[in-house]
Amino acid sequence: MAGRFAPHRAEPARAAVPRPAGMTGPAVPVRTTAPAGTTGTAASTSAAKSALTRDWTPPGPLDPRLVLGPLRRGPADPTFRFTPDGAAWRTSRTPEGPGTLRIAARGGRIEAVAWGTGASWLLDRLPSLLGAEDDPDAFRPRHRLLAITRHRRPGLRLVRTGLVMESLIPSVLEQKVTTDEAYRAWRRLVRAHGTPAPGPADDAAFAALGLYVMPDARTWSLIPSWEWHRAGVDAKRSATVLRAVRVARRLEEAAGMDLPQAMARLRLVPGIGPWTAAETLQRSNGAADAVTVGDFHLPAIVGHALADNRHADDEEMLALLAPYEGQRHRATRLILLSGRVPPRRAPRMTPGDIARL
C-alpha cells in the first residue's frame, strides 16, 4: 500500500491545436513549435521538446497530491517528483511514446504542461488521471473513523493512469521484500535502462529533477540476469517481470476492462497473484473495490482501525470491509490516511541485499 521553473521569460505566441475528440476544457496550445523548414528526425526531436498545455476545472474538491500519491515509488522515484512549489511531475511511456507531465493546482483549477511525443496522450487523459471518472459519493461510511477522515480529505479521488505495465512492474518488485528494497531496485533499473525524460530545454531546475521514463517492454526483456541481481531483484521476481513484458500488449488491454476481467487477465501470468493484480489495478484502472489481499501489514491496520484487533488476518479484514463492497479499496485508503495504525511492537524487518552475494 502502497522543481521550480526558471525565471519568467517572454514566450512566443501560442498556436492553438484542434481539440481531440471527446476532450473537455480548452483546446491544447503549443508553447513552442519546430523551426521552419525542419523535417524528418530533426522535426521529431523538436516536437518532443515542445510543450503542450491544458487547463481543467474539476467538478469538485481535488487534491492532486492525494490523488497522485500512490504513483510515487519512494521520495527518489526517477519517474515521479513532488516539488516545493506544489507541482507534481511524472513520466510515462504512453502508446504514443514517452512523455513528461507537470500538474499544479491553482485555486479551483488544474494547470498541466506536457512534453514529449506522448504529451497529447497524457493531456487528453488528464481528467481521468485525476479521478474524473471516480465517484466518491458512492462511498457510505459506516464507521466514525472513516466518516471523519473522509470529511477531512474532501480532495481524495482515485487515480486512473490507463497504463498497466508502469504500475505492474514496480508492484512485482515489491513482492515479499521491504519497501526500501523495492524502491531501490526500481530506481536502479529505471535509471540504468530507461531514457531521460523529455522536458523544457535548457531548464536547470528541470534537469536537477533527474527524471527518467521507464524502459519499454523490449528493453525490460533484454536486461541481463546480473543487472537484476545487482539491483537486488531475485530470480523469481525478475522472471515474473520477463513473463509479463512478453505479453505486455495483452496486459495493457486490462486497463479498459471491468475489475473481475482485469484481475483474471493479469493473473494469467505466473507470478502475478491477487496482491500484485490489486496493487496494479488500483492505479491503472482506478478500481475502487480492488482490495489488497495478502499484504503483510494491511489486515492488522484495518483490523486495528475498525475493530481494535491488531491481529486480524485477510479473512477477518475482508469481513470488516464487507459493508463497503464495491468501495473496499477506498475504505482502506481512508484508513491509511487516518493515521490510525497499531503501535509497533517488534523491530523493523532487516532489509536484504542479494547484490552482495
Side-chain angles (χ1 to χ4, degrees):
M1 291 289 297
R4 295 182 179 273
F5 286 109
H8 177 75
R9 296 191 293 265
E11 297 179 345
R14 302 182 183 181
V17 174
R19 178 162 38 202
M23 185 175 189
T24 59
V28 180
V30 179
R31 280 188 186 276
T32 58
T33 56
T38 304
T39 60
T41 304
S44 299
T45 302
S46 179
K49 293 180 179 179
S50 300
L52 303 181
T53 66
R54 180 178 182 181
D55 289 353
W56 175 63
T57 301
L62 180 70
D63 184 343
R65 294 183 69 92
L66 276 181
V67 177
L68 299 173
L71 302 181
R72 186 176 71 156
R73 307 289 177 161
D77 184 348
T79 69
F80 194 105
R81 290 284 195 279
F82 284 123
T83 50
D85 61 353
W89 292 76
R90 68 180 299 262
T91 69
S92 288
R93 188 167 293 280
T94 77
E96 297 178 2
T100 300
L101 179 66
R102 179 188 185 272
I103 297 173
R106 297 290 181 264
R109 191 177 76 257
I110 299 296
E111 297 177 354
V113 189
W115 295 263
T117 54
S120 292
W121 193 94
L122 291 170
L123 291 177
D124 289 349
R125 289 155 182 79
L126 177 69
S128 180
L129 175 71
L130 295 176
E133 299 170 25
D134 183 32
D135 183 13
D137 294 333
F139 182 75
R140 294 288 186 269
R142 302 189 181 187
H143 191 283
R144 184 170 181 271
L145 176 70
L146 296 178
I148 292 173
T149 306
R150 184 189 186 201
H151 177 74
R152 291 176 177 174
R153 305 280 189 168
L156 174 65
R157 287 178 176 267
L158 300 183
V159 67
R160 182 171 187 168
T161 66
L163 297 169
V164 171
M165 297 304 294
E166 72 172 24
S167 292
L168 176 62
I169 292 174
S171 294
V172 171
L173 297 180
E174 292 171 5
Q175 293 175 349
K176 306 297 184 181
V177 296
T178 65
T179 302
D180 288 343
E181 290 175 89
Y183 289 167
R184 183 173 65 241
W186 175 246
R187 288 196 304 268
R188 177 160 185 152
L189 292 168
V190 170
R191 287 173 177 163
H193 302 282
T195 55
D202 303 321
D203 189 320
F206 171 76
L209 294 177
L211 291 174
Y212 281 77
V213 181
M214 79 168 208
D216 59 18
R218 175 173 170 77
T219 302
W220 282 112
S221 69
L222 296 176
I223 297 175
S225 59
W226 57 87
E227 284 292 329
W228 292 102
H229 186 82
R230 289 172 181 168
V233 181
D234 58 52
K236 183 176 180 179
R237 287 179 291 151
S238 62
T240 299
V241 173
L242 294 178
R243 285 190 291 266
V245 297
R246 292 190 189 108
V247 291
R249 291 185 182 180
R250 296 286 287 164
L251 294 182
E252 289 291 356
E253 293 173 0
M257 297 177 178
D258 292 335
L259 180 58
Q261 291 75 25
M263 290 284 287
R265 175 64 62 88
L266 267 58
R267 294 190 62 184
L268 287 173
V269 179
I272 297 178
W275 185 94
T276 306
E279 288 286 309
T280 300
L281 297 174
Q282 289 165 7
R283 297 165 172 84
S284 63
N285 293 32
D289 198 45
V291 60
T292 303
V293 177
D295 192 82
F296 185 75
H297 299 289
L298 189 60
I301 293 173
V302 172
H304 177 73
L306 300 185
D308 199 24
N309 176 15
R310 60 173 294 142
H311 302 293
D313 57 17
D314 277 335
E315 185 177 349
E316 292 169 305
M317 176 183 72
L318 291 175
L320 290 170
L321 293 174
Y324 303 106
E325 188 77 29
Q327 295 284 318
R328 292 177 295 178
H329 170 50
R330 192 189 310 276
T332 59
R333 279 293 310 277
L334 289 170
I335 290 171
L336 292 169
L337 289 171
S338 75
R340 182 174 171 77
V341 298
R344 189 177 298 277
R345 295 183 180 177
R348 289 181 179 272
M349 179 179 175
T350 303
D353 187 3
I354 68 170
R356 297 177 181 272
L357 301 178

